[in-house]
Amino acid sequence: MCGIAGLIDFSKSTNSDQLRQIAKNMGFAQSTRGPDGSGQWADPESGIGLDHRRLAIIDLTEEGVQPMTSRSGRFVTSYNGEIYNYQDLRAELEKTTEFQGWRGHSDTEVMLEAIEQWGFEKALKSFSGMFAIALWDRDEKKLFLARDRMGEKPLYYSTQNNKFLFGSELKALMACENFERKVDRNSLSSYLRYHYVPAPRTIFKNVYCLMPGTWLSVSQDGTVSDPAEYWSLLDSAREAESKIFTAPDSAIIETLEDLLLKVVEREMISDVPLGAFLSGGIDSSLIVALMQQCALAPVKTFTIGFDDEAYNEANDAKLVAQHIGTEHTELYVSPKDALEIIPSIPQIWDQPFSDASQIPTHLVSRMTRDHVTVALSGDGGDELFAGYNRHFRGCSLWKHLERIPISLRSIAAKAILGITPADLDEIVDVLKPIIPKKLHMRLPGQKLHKLANVMDADSASEYYSALTSNWLNPETIVMSGRETVSPFQNYSRQPSTKNLTAWMQFMDAATYLPDDIMTKVDRAAMAVSLETRAPFLDHEIVEFSQRLPMHLRTQNGQGKHALREILYKHVPKNLIERPKMGFGIPIGDWLRGPLREWAEELLSPERIADDGYFNGRTVQKAWREHLSGTKDNQYRIWNILVFQSWMDHWDIS
């Protein structure tokens, strides 16, 4: 995993040294992505300059250095990621009549040879991995950009000031002189809803994020092609609808386990120390159990703990690690440790991003990097195998809600919102002995308030949108802001399935997974030069998961049934069966306590009015409600605060 950046100067008025220097400056802005070396390549006749920041994982020799030129000299690449099936491709390429031998053993060299032999798009379809690729074709005088199927690796681009700019992170583009930092108020509205800016938009006008599974080309004359798909999650989902598995459950589960084992073993290939995040939940525990099957020594596993038991998973992770037999490391962090990360958030996530689990994710990444360079994770398990509460409890609830007139639902919602979250916690605690164990939940007051906010939805898609929204009406908050068209509104980009769980899974995998989960993990880990790998996101596993019958996704009020059945072969059920906790921190309490002074400065009516982005009265009302405890507005307030601190850090007016 590395950092890539570069530019094309369409005026061709920049000499070789200048092109290299601009590219180098862009790379330096994201240098934590590659601390093991940097390189530049330029061709002033074409106006092209490339930078590469190296985090050496496979082939640590000079033969693995980038930018790398193909054997024929036609292609030059700056590439970020890992192609896990490169050894299979290497063997296949060696059989071709055109093959002339290898210089080293890196996946980058195999990637270039595949493009040389098969062409760019065909080669892309052959790669299993995570990647963002920049490829310069010296014959056609074209730049090609591509991103992996599920969006694990980021890639941003923009055309401005007669230049085409691209980079792994927005900060690489911002490092260019005269880069236009104009906030897109429509993107800001979407950010308030989701706490991330949905791709392909970014927080800046005319700056874009390349969508997963797509590629584009840039010609010398300034023509930028529309992104083209080489793989589509939507096409895969539509195809799967008519190919749901009908074999016995045991056969399906056994096939899935074999596939997962193959993928995990392939993703453990590394020339540097490797380990895994372990929360003790289903996804990470299964990945670690399969890793231990492949390993010759105990797998290194890592988790962080908190003294607040409402947020602490360390005890569960430790028990799982002991059973599997890993070399386990845990670190208990204090609120002070977490709070110290907050000033770094705008630098690490260089456009507004306010998923509060970003803080513990960065903390566990930092601790892990002290021991290994690569860490596998269980990311993607929830989206692909129906692990979120909305996939089972939420869908079941909607079946009941849609039978009730909206007017009655609204009355019930007002009644719930009339009780503070703290009082609801106490009520639920008193009733806990008579509530079925599978319905027990962490922080019930918060969840009941969230439920109240979605009870008046008039369709399943509106219900899902409300479930996944932060601010429900962001256009009333952002001055002159209009939300961009979302996948919820564009029915041509949705599968036709009538099953709400399957539909929600698709929407989560297409939007929330790349734009939130993978963005969070990539930046949190890359800020400390740690490579993360997510075996569940291998496209073979993605395609397999879409063909699972519903009873192997949700069963008995629980999700991820197929994964559970595999995991029970490795870990006793009693170590796994517990309410889903998530990976959070008590932001709400901090905002009323140690963060209050910082928050009030950023939310002051004078500051809000001077900036001119938000409706100050609405923001102040939400802040007062949160301080008084009448409503749980912690994530809405955090949303605003992250944007405000981002503006300060990057000097955005």
Side-chain angles (χ1 to χ4, degrees):
M1 193 182 296
C2 306
I4 67 174
L7 73 152
I8 300 177
D9 181 357
F10 298 126
S11 70
K12 301 180 184 61
S13 60
T14 316
N15 63 39
S16 181
D17 289 343
Q18 292 170 327
L19 285 168
R20 287 174 180 271
Q21 188 59 54
I22 296 171
K24 186 176 182 178
N25 292 344
M26 295 175 74
F28 182 76
Q30 53 186 20
S31 57
T32 60
R33 299 188 74 90
D36 298 329
S38 68
Q40 295 78 40
W41 181 89
D43 177 5
E45 290 185 7
S46 301
I48 178 78
L50 302 176
D51 179 88
H52 186 265
R53 301 286 153 157
R54 188 184 190 197
L55 177 60
I57 304 294
I58 295 175
D59 193 345
L60 310 185
T61 71
E62 288 298 307
E63 298 300 337
V65 169
Q66 298 184 51
M68 184 182 290
T69 303
S70 64
R71 179 174 289 277
S72 71
R74 176 177 175 178
F75 298 106
V76 184
T77 192
S78 182
Y79 145 70
N80 166 32
E82 305 289 349
I83 296 174
Y84 302 123
N85 65 333
Y86 80 100
Q87 292 181 332
D88 295 336
L89 297 176
R90 182 184 175 103
E92 187 176 346
L93 289 163
E94 287 171 355
K95 298 174 184 177
T96 63
T97 57
E98 297 86 354
F99 179 68
Q100 298 179 15
W102 303 104
R103 293 167 290 183
H105 67 273
S106 72
D107 59 333
T108 311
E109 187 179 0
V110 173
M111 180 194 78
L112 281 170
E113 185 69 19
I115 293 169
E116 190 93 57
Q117 298 296 341
W118 303 329
F120 186 62
E121 188 167 10
K122 183 179 178 181
L124 282 178
K125 293 178 179 180
S126 75
F127 300 154
S128 291
M130 56 176 187
F131 50 80
I133 299 171
L135 180 85
W136 177 249
D137 185 334
R138 300 173 80 174
D139 287 356
E140 292 191 13
K141 305 296 184 185
K142 276 188 177 182
L143 175 70
F144 293 87
L145 300 181
R147 191 175 178 204
D148 64 70
R149 293 173 178 83
M150 294 300 291
E152 291 185 67
K153 294 296 100 196
L155 190 52
Y156 297 91
Y157 64 95
S158 179
T159 301
Q160 50 182 264
N161 301 317
N162 210 21
K163 292 182 178 68
F164 180 85
L165 311 171
F166 71 88
S168 294
E169 299 182 19
L170 277 180
K171 59 175 70 81
L173 280 64
M174 286 192 275
C176 291
E177 187 177 4
N178 299 322
F179 176 80
E180 297 173 2
R181 306 185 186 192
K182 296 180 180 178
V183 171
D184 185 332
R185 290 175 184 261
N186 297 341
S187 293
L188 179 56
S189 296
S190 296
Y191 161 74
L192 286 198
R193 180 178 292 279
Y194 302 114
H195 61 236
Y196 58 82
V197 179
R201 305 294 284 265
T202 72
I203 194 63
F204 295 125
K205 290 182 178 179
N206 304 315
V207 181
Y208 302 97
C209 177
L210 190 63
M211 293 291 282
T214 68
W215 65 275
L216 61 77
S217 65
V218 187
S219 302
Q220 275 189 306
D221 64 2
T223 302
V224 180
S225 72
D226 291 331
E229 292 180 333
Y230 66 89
W231 183 86
S232 165
L233 182 69
L234 176 61
D235 289 347
S236 177
R238 286 174 171 168
E239 184 178 352
E241 289 174 14
S242 61
K243 295 183 178 180
I244 298 298
F245 292 122
T246 57
D249 290 356
S250 59
I252 297 171
I253 290 169
E254 183 178 349
T255 302
L256 175 58
E257 182 174 10
D258 290 342
L259 178 58
L260 281 167
L261 189 63
K262 180 190 80 170
V263 169
V264 166
E265 184 174 22
R266 194 164 63 188
E267 296 197 14
M268 289 177 69
I269 296 173
S270 172
D271 292 337
V272 294
L274 174 143
F277 297 143
L278 179 61
S279 69
I282 293 167
D283 304 329
S284 64
S285 297
L286 179 54
I287 294 299
V288 168
L290 296 177
M291 288 176 70
Q292 195 59 67
Q293 270 194 260
C294 302
L296 300 177
V299 171
K300 298 177 186 293
T301 54
F302 306 91
T303 191
I304 59 169
F306 296 93
D307 290 330
D308 187 338
E309 286 303 311
Y311 298 90
N312 185 37
E313 296 180 307
N315 293 331
D316 301 318
K318 186 175 183 178
L319 292 173
V320 172
Q322 288 173 344
H323 181 84
I324 295 174
T326 71
E327 181 183 325
H328 191 58
T329 301
E330 65 179 18
L331 174 69
Y332 272 77
V333 297
S334 67
K336 181 176 180 292
D337 297 322
L339 290 167
E340 287 175 350
I341 300 298
I342 291 175
S344 304
I345 286 175
Q347 177 66 27
I348 296 172
W349 290 272
D350 48 13
Q351 71 172 335
F353 180 85
S354 59
D355 179 339
S357 64
Q358 62 201 135
I359 294 174
T361 302
H362 181 62
L363 287 169
V364 74
S365 297
R366 189 172 68 184
M367 183 261 288
T368 300
R369 186 62 175 92
D370 290 337
H371 303 270
V372 299
T373 310
V374 179
L376 272 64
S377 78
D379 290 311
D382 284 318
E383 292 81 4
L384 301 179
F385 295 93
Y388 292 128
N389 284 332
R390 57 179 169 265
H391 295 156
F392 38 98
R393 290 180 186 164
C395 290
S396 177
L397 176 63
W398 175 248
K399 291 178 182 178
H400 297 293
L401 285 177
E402 65 179 342
R403 299 192 190 106
I404 303 171
I406 290 181
S407 58
L408 294 180
R409 286 189 256 148
S410 297
I411 293 171
K414 289 178 182 177
I416 293 172
L417 292 172
I419 307 172
T420 69
D423 287 342
L424 287 169
D425 286 344
E426 292 184 12
I427 293 170
V428 172
D429 192 53
V430 170
L431 297 175
K432 187 171 286 187
I434 63 173
I435 298 175
K437 190 173 181 180
K438 67 181 181 180
L439 295 180
H440 288 185
M441 64 183 75
R442 183 173 65 94
L443 306 174
Q446 288 183 18
K447 291 181 171 61
L448 287 169
H449 267 228
K450 186 170 184 177
L451 167 64
N453 286 326
V454 305
M455 288 180 69
D456 59 354
D458 63 6
S459 68
S461 59
E462 185 177 317
Y463 173 69
Y464 172 75
S465 180
L467 280 174
T468 55
S469 294
N470 200 11
W471 290 92
L472 295 177
N473 299 294
E475 291 184 2
T476 66
I477 302 160
V478 178
M479 308 294 285
S480 304
R482 294 291 180 270
E483 285 190 84
T484 55
V485 174
S486 73
F488 311 116
Q489 299 162 311
N490 185 353
Y491 291 100
S492 68
R493 298 297 301 169
Q494 299 174 12
S496 58
T497 177
K498 298 297 187 291
N499 185 284
L500 183 56
T501 295
W503 182 84
M504 282 189 178
Q505 284 184 261
F506 171 82
M507 299 301 287
D508 286 338
T511 57
Y512 179 68
L513 179 60
D515 292 341
D516 184 302
I517 301 298
M518 299 319 302
T519 297
K520 174 183 65 181
V521 174
D522 176 81
R523 305 305 192 279
M526 282 280 82
V528 292
S529 308
L530 175 73
E531 173 170 299
T532 54
R533 300 176 178 178
F536 284 124
L537 298 188
D538 181 277
H539 70 280
E540 290 184 72
I541 292 176
V542 173
E543 292 166 357
F544 188 98
S545 72
Q546 292 174 320
R547 297 180 63 190
L548 285 174
M550 289 312 302
H551 70 275
L552 289 184
R553 306 186 197 194
T554 67
Q555 194 173 126
N556 299 322
Q558 293 180 314
K560 295 189 279 199
H561 184 74
L563 296 188
R564 290 174 190 272
E565 291 300 304
I566 299 171
L567 182 57
Y568 296 155
K569 299 178 184 179
H570 305 276
V571 179
K573 187 181 293 189
N574 66 293
L575 294 185
I576 299 299
E577 294 299 339
R578 59 183 183 276
K580 186 176 179 64
M581 180 173 287
F583 198 33
I585 51 174
I587 283 287
D589 293 337
W590 293 352
L591 289 174
R592 297 186 188 99
L595 292 179
R596 180 166 179 171
E597 183 177 347
W598 170 75
E600 290 192 328
E601 181 178 341
L602 291 175
L603 298 176
S604 73
E606 296 78 17
R607 165 70 190 265
I608 296 292
D610 288 345
D611 290 340
Y613 286 106
F614 300 126
N615 181 323
R617 295 177 66 179
T618 304
V619 173
Q620 284 298 313
K621 180 174 182 289
W623 178 232
R624 289 193 301 272
E625 288 173 342
H626 184 74
L627 289 177
S628 67
T630 57
K631 283 191 179 179
D632 176 23
N633 287 330
Q634 58 177 317
Y635 299 122
R636 297 185 184 98
I637 296 300
W638 181 245
N639 200 220
I640 299 285
L641 291 170
V642 168
F643 176 77
Q644 297 288 85
S645 60
W646 171 81
M647 285 203 302
D648 286 350
H649 180 84
W650 292 106
D651 194 25
I652 307 294
S653 58

